[in-house]
Amino acid sequence: MTGAAVLLLDAAGPEAAALARAAADRGHQVHAATVADGPAPAPELAGRVVTDFARPDRAVEEITAYARRRGVGAVLTANEYLTGLAARVCAELGLPGNDPHLAHAARDKAAMASVLTAAGVHVPYTRLVHDDTELHDALADPGVGFPCVIKPVSGAGSAGVTVVTSPAEAAAAADTARTARGRYGDAAAGILVQAYAAGDEYSVESVTQDAVTTHLAVTRKAVTGGARRVETGHSLPVRLPRATETAVHREVDAAIRAVGIRHGASHTEVVIAPDGRCTVIEIAARLGAGHIGVLLQHALGIDVFAALLDVALGRPAALVPTVHGHATVRFVTAPCAGRLTSLAGFPKPGPGVPFVRWRAAIGGLVTAAGVNADRLGAFVVTGPDAAEVERRADLLARQIRVRVVSAPLRTGRT
Ligand SMILES: Nc1ncnc2c1ncn2[C@@H]1O[C@H](COP(=O)(O)OP(=O)(O)OP(=O)(O)O)[C@@H](O)[C@H]1O
Ligand SMILES: [Mg+2]
């Protein structure tokens, strides 16, 4: 082993596994901070500190003490809920990280709306409400209007987010937002009522090093319509008209600065209106989930996991594309809630299909997609030509047969 040890905050999930692999492949010992009953950590781990992410002050102490003992020289997380904790740990250890005083604004969407508005970033008009009277007032506010969006303050994965088209739907949407707890039990006060931004949805994948940002790609998001929005695919890189791209990058740069991102990845979700106006829906101080790292690798030849490792270690990161192709990920969802009885035609990895992942058990219960975590599987298609890649992905998607026999129970999978 060579080089400093690397510490991941939470080591579960495909992005954390890829970071662990990138570090291990480059000769770094990989450690993780995990909760006691968390999912199985990545196989590369040299050791771990068990802590309670729901008690951040104590977690910072325990993690920094462990990191000092193990000679940790880089701290990273792919877990959106832990980006604030990562900033605090990096600051304590004197390692490259984000501003610990601003990091909460990339998690708490009420704080996000205020700091982004103060920084001149165009965001949806947002009201924080704590009770039915405030909810009623917010719905009557002409700045909100209908449709509007009711969402938790610190959610992720679209959990608890509802697009509401009339006052009659608001109470149920507010209950849904209130019950969507943060993963580590954070009891954020209130919920958000937000103006609806109409247009096409994109995200901007960026890496910032020493406060200098490189935008790696703009990603087009495919999202279900209706009250509950679930991402069904991502494609990158998208070529926007030059003036639109400049405007989008300007908004995203300002958002990155406003939430204190200095060293690390960001994933900024934007809506572009038909007139080209860009609204920032949210910014997260982490790499985009949903296999966006895999898309960057295949479409652009950028090993974003190695790059993020370099950023965290304070080394120059390689962020220039070496390939000029296109990649798309498609997610498979269940047509209805019930028991998954069969799956046919799911793509196999091969030429132009570098990645497939199926995670639902045949015979198990599934739900119709209401949040991102309800997705059953994913496959990636890549190649030199965007239109051809999209055509091939559409064709493969049409060949998949998911059979679900109606059953009344929810799976409880989140
Ligand atoms: N103000 C808005 N205007 C239009 N659409 C919105 C708005 N807010 C949320 N949405 C839609 O709902 C989806 C989920 O909302 P949001 O991104 O705020 O939640 P999230 O839980 O952080 O989601 P994720 O972690 O999946 O990005 C968005 O991707 C978008 O489709
Ligand atoms: Mg989002």
Side-chain angles (χ1 to χ4, degrees):
M1 289 281 167
T2 56
V6 171
L7 178 71
L8 298 176
L9 304 192
D10 183 20
E15 280 77 25
L19 285 170
R21 233 176 2 255
D25 287 351
R26 284 159 187 78
H28 298 275
Q29 262 202 359
V30 186
H31 297 261
T34 67
V35 289
D37 54 354
E44 289 85 357
L45 289 191
R48 68 168 167 158
V49 50
V50 173
T51 190
D52 182 359
F53 294 132
R55 301 173 69 180
D57 291 341
R58 195 157 151 194
V60 169
E61 269 175 38
E62 289 172 351
I63 294 168
T64 52
Y66 179 89
R68 287 193 175 102
R69 283 199 304 276
R70 302 299 178 117
V72 164
V75 174
L76 301 104
T77 189
N79 179 337
E80 176 166 338
Y81 294 98
L82 300 179
T83 55
L85 188 66
R88 289 182 61 185
V89 170
C90 287
E92 283 290 318
L93 295 171
L95 297 174
N98 295 333
D99 185 334
H101 305 294
L102 289 175
H104 70 286
R107 277 296 309 126
D108 172 331
K109 290 175 183 172
M112 189 183 297
S114 356
V115 305
L116 295 190
T117 303
V121 177
H122 189 243
V123 296
Y125 177 71
T126 301
R127 298 257 316 230
L128 176 64
V129 307
H130 299 90
D131 55 33
D132 289 346
T133 310
E134 288 182 8
L135 176 63
H136 185 266
D137 288 352
L139 294 170
D141 184 335
V144 173
F146 288 96
C148 66
V149 181
I150 298 185
K151 61 170 80 171
V153 170
S154 58
S158 303
V161 180
T162 310
V163 178
V164 169
T165 54
S166 73
E169 297 163 11
D175 283 345
T176 303
R178 274 188 211 106
T179 47
R181 289 250 156 261
R183 190 180 300 171
Y184 303 112
D186 55 348
I191 55 172
L192 301 181
V193 180
Q194 207 166 60
Y196 183 81
D200 292 327
E201 293 193 44
Y202 298 87
S203 57
V204 182
E205 321 314 327
S206 315
V207 172
T208 302
Q209 182 160 40
D210 295 320
V212 176
T213 294
T214 304
H215 301 299
L216 305 181
V218 174
T219 306
R220 180 180 292 106
K221 289 210 284 179
V223 183
T224 56
R228 310 297 306 277
R229 304 284 162 102
V230 177
E231 294 167 353
T232 53
H234 302 292
S235 300
L236 67 81
V238 173
R239 311 259 174 242
L240 296 172
R242 180 55 64 87
T244 308
E245 185 186 80
T246 304
V248 168
H249 285 174
R250 199 174 46 232
E251 296 288 326
V252 174
D253 285 333
I256 286 171
R257 277 194 301 277
V259 301
I261 295 172
R262 301 182 303 208
H263 302 274
S266 54
H267 171 74
T268 310
E269 297 182 337
V270 302
V271 167
I272 301 180
D275 65 0
R277 178 130 205 225
C278 165
T279 302
V280 173
I281 298 289
E282 65 160 337
I283 177 164
R286 55 157 175 86
L287 180 66
H291 312 299
I292 282 178
V294 177
L295 303 189
L296 291 168
Q297 177 78 67
H298 290 280
L300 302 175
I302 296 172
D303 184 343
V304 74
F305 300 104
L308 292 177
L309 179 67
D310 285 333
V311 169
L313 286 162
R315 300 191 303 216
L319 297 169
V320 178
T322 54
V323 175
H324 297 279
H326 185 86
T328 185
V329 60
R330 301 298 172 89
F331 300 104
V332 183
T333 55
C336 60
R339 194 169 296 284
L340 176 66
T341 54
S342 69
L343 165 71
F346 188 65
K348 295 191 169 34
V353 185
F355 174 92
V356 304
R357 181 176 190 234
W358 187 263
R359 60 181 191 173
I362 302 295
L365 293 173
V366 297
T367 53
V371 299
N372 289 347
D374 292 330
R375 298 179 302 208
L376 307 179
F379 63 94
V380 170
V381 179
T382 188
D385 181 71
E388 195 275 329
V389 166
E390 297 293 337
R391 252 195 318 274
R392 207 147 31 89
D394 288 344
L395 184 67
L396 288 171
R398 279 199 298 274
Q399 290 169 352
I400 299 170
R401 295 278 175 267
V402 174
R403 222 172 139 252
V404 175
V405 174
S406 179
L409 292 173
R410 264 193 76 87
T411 60
R413 272 187 333 120
T414 55

